[in-house]
């Protein structure tokens, strides 16, 4: 019976991340009790993460219902943060509303090697 429960949880999680949303559907959450944001064409419900966000809940609330890809990338989130955010993913934007540039900027952070030039790295020389 326990293995059945695990399968059900996995199936539910898989179905949950396969949902497709329009930008209008995400925008409906601006001003609501739920906080949904778009990052790299993925939709995240970060409502339960508000109090835990290291940068404060205000920065997430400012982006509620919007595409937060640029502010997210401008801050330079860690690979741990990128891994953590997957647990808040509830779906993706429909194909017609996806941002093409966003896909180019998305990086594979899972192996810790982002494909970026050295100009974005900071060093202190003493």
């Amino acid at each position: 019976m326990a293995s059945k429960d695990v399968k059900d949880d996995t199936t539910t999680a898989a179905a949950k991340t396969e949902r497709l949303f329009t930008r209008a559907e995400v925008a409906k959450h601006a001003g609501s009790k739920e906080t949904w944001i778009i990052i790299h064409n993925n939709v995240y419900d970060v409502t339960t993460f508000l109090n835990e966000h290291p940068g404060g809940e205000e920065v997430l609330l400012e982006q509620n219902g919007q595409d937060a890809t640029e502010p997210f990338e401008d801050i330079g989130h860690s690979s741990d943060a990128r891994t953590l955010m997957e647990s808040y993913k509830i779906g993706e934007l429909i194909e017609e509303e996806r941002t093409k540039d966003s896909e180019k900027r998305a990086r594979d952070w899972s192996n810790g090697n982002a494909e970026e030039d050295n100009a974005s790295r900071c060093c202190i020389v003493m």
Side-chain angles (χ1 to χ4, degrees):
M1 182 104 178
S3 63
K4 184 177 187 305
D5 292 340
V6 171
K7 284 183 179 179
D8 289 345
D9 289 345
T10 306
T11 304
T12 302
K16 185 177 176 181
T17 58
E18 291 176 9
R19 287 188 58 195
L20 296 176
F21 299 95
T22 64
R23 289 182 182 273
E25 288 173 311
V26 176
K28 286 179 186 176
H29 292 275
S32 75
K33 292 182 180 182
E34 294 179 321
T35 305
W36 287 18
I37 58 175
I38 301 165
I39 299 175
H40 294 297
N41 297 317
N42 295 309
V43 179
Y44 299 91
D45 180 349
V46 295
T47 308
T48 59
F49 184 64
L50 291 176
N51 293 329
E52 299 172 36
H53 187 256
E57 65 182 32
E58 297 82 19
V59 295
L60 295 174
L61 292 172
E62 287 174 5
Q63 300 301 320
N64 191 10
Q66 302 178 61
D67 192 326
T69 301
E70 188 172 336
F72 179 83
E73 290 299 341
D74 286 348
I75 292 298
H77 285 83
S78 68
S79 56
D80 289 343
R82 292 169 190 277
T83 301
L84 177 64
M85 66 191 271
E86 287 304 310
S87 62
Y88 297 97
K89 182 177 175 182
I90 58 170
E92 300 177 359
L93 288 178
I94 62 171
E95 188 72 35
E96 299 82 10
E97 294 188 7
R98 293 182 185 180
T99 305
K100 303 302 179 211
D101 291 342
S102 180
E103 292 171 3
K104 292 177 186 174
R105 291 184 64 195
R107 298 180 181 108
D108 179 11
W109 292 90
S110 60
N111 63 7
N113 294 325
E115 294 177 15
E116 61 184 35
D117 61 24
N118 289 333
S120 64
R121 296 178 190 227
C122 178
C123 299
I124 299 175
V125 178
M126 297 181 146

